[in-house]
Amino acid sequence: MRSIAADVKNRLGILAALTILFCSRCSPAYAPRSYTFSIAITDNMIFLDAKVNGHPVQLLVDTGATQSVFEAALKPEGKKADHFSVTTASKAQDAVIVNSKIELKSLNDGEISLTGPAIYGRFQFPATRLGIKMSGVLGMDVLGKYRSVNFDFQRNTLSLSDK
């Protein structure tokens, strides 16, 4: 006669084998990711190298900007654009909002691609007045898609995580 402990152990072994077999055939519906990017800090501004619609650019990372904005020359051709007027500190000017592609080269996971609406116009970015070449601002419309946004000023990195 088998003991109760041996019977329970046998049943648990079968249950474990079935669980492993079942789970090995399934892929998780959601796999949280974390990305780390190299940043440069100049005059207390944070910059990130990126591609906007295939053009290599340097972007200002601005957690106070609600929307990403880019130079008019980076606007994708052939896409439907909504035209409107933007009032800046100096004057009102024409701008367009277009679905765009922003690519960021991660230090730990290759290149990631983000798509969504962005504003394009003939903007006078503050850093250009200081002689810093930049082509746009990466705002909270992109950064806010992640659960956490961490700056490591010792390592000069930005980490975005949806974990």
Side-chain angles (χ1 to χ4, degrees), residues 33-48:
R33 303 293 295 236
S34 181
Y35 305 97
T36 302
F37 308 95
S38 180
I39 57 172
I41 301 169
T42 306
D43 289 330
N44 292 321
M45 293 179 280
I46 301 167
F47 295 95
L48 175 70

Side-chain angles (χ1 to χ4, degrees), residues 32-130:
R33 303 293 295 236
S34 181
Y35 305 97
T36 302
F37 308 95
S38 180
I39 57 172
I41 301 169
T42 306
D43 289 330
N44 292 321
M45 293 179 280
I46 301 167
F47 295 95
L48 175 70
D49 289 329
K51 286 183 187 174
V52 175
N53 301 314
H55 302 277
V57 295
Q58 186 174 42
L59 302 177
L60 174 71
V61 180
D62 188 351
T63 59
T66 57
Q67 183 70 40
S68 296
V69 295
F70 305 107
E71 292 177 335
L74 299 174
K75 182 177 73 81
E77 296 300 319
K79 288 192 175 184
K80 181 181 182 243
D82 294 322
H83 294 264
F84 62 98
S85 181
V86 174
T87 303
T88 64
S90 57
K91 61 181 176 177
Q93 56 187 350
D94 292 329
V96 295
I97 188 163
V98 183
N99 275 330
S100 305
K101 182 178 179 181
I102 303 167
E103 298 169 274
L104 304 172
K105 185 169 175 133
S106 171
L107 296 173
N108 60 330
D109 201 21
E111 197 166 80
I112 65 167
S113 227
L114 307 164
T115 57
I119 297 173
Y120 295 85
R122 298 194 193 305
F123 301 112
Q124 178 82 30
F125 296 115
T128 56
R129 286 182 242 144
L130 299 172

